[in-house]
Amino acid sequence: AGSTPVLADIDPDTALLSMVSAERCLTPQTRAVVLVHLYGQVRSMPDWVDWCAQHGIALVEDCAQAHLASQNGTVAGAFGAAGAYSFYPTKNLGAIGDGGMLVTRDEVLAKRAATLRNYGQSVRYHHPELGLNSRLDEIQAAILSARLQWLAEFTQRRRDIAAAYRVGTVHSDVRLLAAPEAESAHVYHLFVVCCEARDALQAHLQAHGVQTLIHYPIPVHQQPPCLEMRRDPQGLGHSEYHAARCLSLPCHPQMSDADTAAVIAAVNAFELP
């Protein structure tokens, strides 16, 4: 789009974008903020809407992990100018291949997006601007339409597992992220904990039959193509700290209560090396 990305830091308690850091990144050229609903949580959305309005910039929501997450009756993607969803197979609502969706209240933006996703074609054989092929094919759409019927039930199961984790995890060296502001505000695409001895905890859990993953081990600004990318002038220390300590516990709707209890027991049995 010709814009220059500027990376802001996160809030260490939630791993979500820090408004204080975003404020430091603002310049007269700033046109939008991309707010990532990381791990499936929406938080402080009225504050973000007001903040963007005060600065005259657009709020763009990354809803890739936040299917059905809502706050005060408004669903992720409906707070700002537009929201982008992912239907990658591992998402809460996933197809069997790549796919996605853009949501917006702006009819002009919706029409332009529909044109851009179809090679810039306005009506058949007429291409007023350069576009790309970003169309969802019919097979993926059919699968998503069927899986959509399960989404509410599966989401509630994720929340039930997360609630059990929050009550049952009592290890003093395993830190949970802040609880959501309301049950509806988190759909637990991932349930993430932090530990100073993250690698040892992961090895311990693997030895007890519990597979975990790290989301995400390398911050964007430490990736080779992004080393010179602009960022908060005070650095991205919270992002670096989180990336070195975060660990995703199993949290998916096919888990039984016994599975959940086994994960909790394994976490609580961890001993620091």
Side-chain angles (χ1 to χ4, degrees), residues 5 15 20 24 48 83 101 105 139 144 146 164 169 197 200 211 229 264:
V20 173
R24 290 194 293 263
W48 278 108
M101 174 175 70
R105 299 178 185 273
I139 294 296
L144 289 165
T169 304
Q211 185 182 36
M229 190 176 287
I264 294 170

Side-chain angles (χ1 to χ4, degrees), residues 142-155:
I143 290 168
L144 289 165
S145 295
R147 290 182 172 177
L148 183 60
Q149 308 307 312
W150 309 337
L151 183 57
E153 177 185 351
F154 282 6
T155 299

Side-chain angles (χ1 to χ4, degrees), residues 161-174:
I161 294 167
Y165 282 164
R166 289 194 176 278
V167 171
T169 304
V170 295
H171 199 298
S172 60
D173 295 302
V174 178

Side-chain angles (χ1 to χ4, degrees), residues 146-208:
R147 290 182 172 177
L148 183 60
Q149 308 307 312
W150 309 337
L151 183 57
E153 177 185 351
F154 282 6
T155 299
Q156 187 56 52
R157 181 58 186 160
R158 289 176 182 272
R159 288 172 175 153
D160 291 344
I161 294 167
Y165 282 164
R166 289 194 176 278
V167 171
T169 304
V170 295
H171 199 298
S172 60
D173 295 302
V174 178
R175 179 175 63 87
L176 307 183
L177 297 183
E181 295 171 334
E183 183 184 58
S184 67
H186 206 322
V187 296
Y188 293 100
H189 174 66
L190 297 169
F191 189 94
V192 176
V193 300
C194 294
C195 181
E196 294 289 338
R198 188 261 311 281
D199 294 345
L201 173 60
Q202 185 174 39
H204 163 82
L205 292 174
Q206 183 66 46
H208 285 73

Side-chain angles (χ1 to χ4, degrees), residues 46 52 64:
C52 288

